[in-house]
């Protein structure tokens, strides 16, 4: 994909969402760090439900460390892999207290040394909490980068390195969130919403989802009179 098209893609994503950010709820770098650790193989929604209650009672390394693994587990038991995550969070809090004065370090090396924190999590913290132009490649960004032709790669690190090379500097900080949100809500895995996509004409995906035609809709309604009647009541033209 040429650089002119890449710039146009991010120009449109910015126009559609000028100030993108994470959907995880937080009020400090520490709250964000814990939320991201908990979000592994879990939805942001489920993490937010748990942390809303947790942070009412403990939202500092010292306070969560005081809960212990058992106490913390009570707050996050609705999240997948909560036992392992509780152990990692407690171990992380201990390191933050003992080695970093209770503060989240602004260093990739220090972040990746924390239990439960890998490169992706470190990138999220560096980008969202500290404003670094990093890109945390998750399943959404990996899919969007490959499907659109923006930054193809056969593994997440290759895609990350590719994106860092091709994303224009003026879009570097927010590219992470634009791509995640685009993959989460538009360029979804099973049936991408191409007819609704703001970059559909710039995307190089060959198997784009076609717009639903009137003929297709009528065919659906013919097979389901009840659905046709329901739609008619809502005054939806077909």
């Amino acid at each position: 994909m040429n650089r002119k098209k890449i710039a146009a893609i991010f120009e449109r994503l910015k126009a559609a969402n000028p100030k993108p950010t994470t959907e995880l709820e937080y009020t400090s770098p520490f709250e964000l760090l814990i939320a991201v650790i908990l979000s592994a193989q879990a939805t942001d929604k489920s993490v937010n439900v748990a942390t809303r209650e947790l942070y009412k009672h403990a939202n500092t390394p010292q306070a969560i460390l005081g809960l212990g693994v058992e106490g913390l587990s009570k707050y996050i038991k609705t999240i997948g892999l909560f036992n392992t995550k509780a152990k990692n969070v407690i171990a992380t809090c201990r390191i933050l207290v003992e080695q970093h004065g209770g503060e989240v370090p602004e260093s990739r090396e220090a972040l990746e040394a924390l239990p439960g924190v890998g490169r992706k999590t470190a990138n999220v913290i560096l980008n969202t909490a500290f404003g670094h132009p990093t890109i945390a490649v998750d399943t959404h960004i990996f899919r969007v980068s490959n499907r659109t032709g923006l930054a193809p790669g056969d593994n997440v690190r290759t895609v990350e390195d590719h994106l860092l090379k091709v994303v224009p500097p003026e879009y570097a900080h927010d590219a992470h969130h634009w791509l995640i949100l685009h993959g989460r809500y538009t360029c979804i895995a099973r049936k991408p919403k191409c007819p609704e996509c703001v970059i559909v004409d710039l995307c190089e995906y060959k198997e784009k989802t076609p717009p639903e035609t009137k003929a297709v809709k009528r065919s659906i309604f013919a097979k389901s009179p009840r659905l046709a009647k329901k739609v008619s009541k809502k005054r939806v033209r077909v």
Side-chain angles (χ1 to χ4, degrees):
M1 183 177 289
N2 64 60
R3 291 185 178 275
K4 184 177 181 180
K5 185 182 287 187
I6 291 172
I9 285 175
F10 284 103
E11 182 180 5
R12 291 190 193 178
L13 292 175
K14 180 178 181 179
N17 186 1
K19 295 182 179 180
T21 189
T22 179
E23 294 184 317
L24 290 170
E25 298 173 0
Y26 71 99
T27 61
S28 69
F30 174 71
E31 287 187 359
L32 177 63
L33 173 63
I34 300 308
V36 177
I37 292 175
L38 296 177
S39 71
Q41 299 182 50
T43 64
D44 288 357
K45 183 178 179 179
S46 67
V47 172
N48 289 337
V49 170
T51 57
R52 281 174 202 151
E53 192 62 27
L54 169 63
Y55 293 158
K56 289 179 183 178
H57 300 86
N59 68 341
T60 66
Q62 297 86 344
I64 290 183
L65 189 59
L67 293 175
V69 173
E70 185 175 349
L72 175 59
S73 295
K74 294 178 181 178
Y75 289 102
I76 65 171
K77 61 185 178 181
T78 56
I79 300 174
L81 306 174
F82 73 92
N83 283 318
T84 298
K85 291 176 181 178
K87 293 176 183 178
N88 284 336
V89 168
I90 293 298
T92 286
C93 289
R94 182 171 290 109
I95 292 174
L96 292 179
V97 170
E98 295 177 354
Q99 299 181 22
H100 301 287
E103 299 294 326
V104 176
E106 192 176 342
S107 156
R108 177 184 298 282
E109 182 180 10
L111 285 168
E112 290 187 19
L114 299 172
V117 177
R119 184 177 182 85
K120 183 174 72 173
T121 297
N123 278 339
V124 173
I125 303 305
L126 291 171
N127 177 276
T128 307
F130 298 119
H132 293 221
T134 55
I135 297 177
V137 180
D138 66 351
T139 56
H140 298 302
I141 291 183
F142 185 80
R143 179 177 63 256
V144 170
S145 297
N146 277 284
R147 180 182 278 170
T148 62
L150 176 63
D154 56 5
N155 59 67
V156 294
R157 184 56 191 274
T158 300
V159 169
E160 179 188 337
D161 291 342
H162 195 165
L163 284 169
L164 291 174
K165 290 180 181 178
V166 303
V167 174
E170 62 268 32
Y171 302 115
H173 176 261
D174 291 325
H176 166 79
H177 290 115
W178 280 320
L179 295 175
I180 283 180
L181 295 172
H182 190 67
R184 184 174 291 171
Y185 296 110
T186 303
C187 196
I188 57 179
R190 293 187 179 181
K191 188 178 180 181
K193 301 176 181 179
C194 300
E196 303 173 16
C197 180
V198 297
I199 61 169
V200 63
D201 57 314
L202 301 172
C203 169
E204 297 181 357
Y205 182 49
K206 295 180 180 179
E207 301 177 18
K208 290 186 175 72
T209 304
E212 193 174 11
T213 65
K214 292 182 178 180
V216 171
K217 290 181 180 178
R218 289 196 181 102
S219 176
I220 293 173
F221 294 150
K223 295 177 181 179
S224 179
R226 182 178 298 178
L227 177 60
K229 184 177 181 181
K230 182 178 180 180
V231 171
S232 179
K233 287 182 178 180
K234 292 184 178 181
R235 297 181 181 178
V236 176
R237 295 180 180 180
V238 298

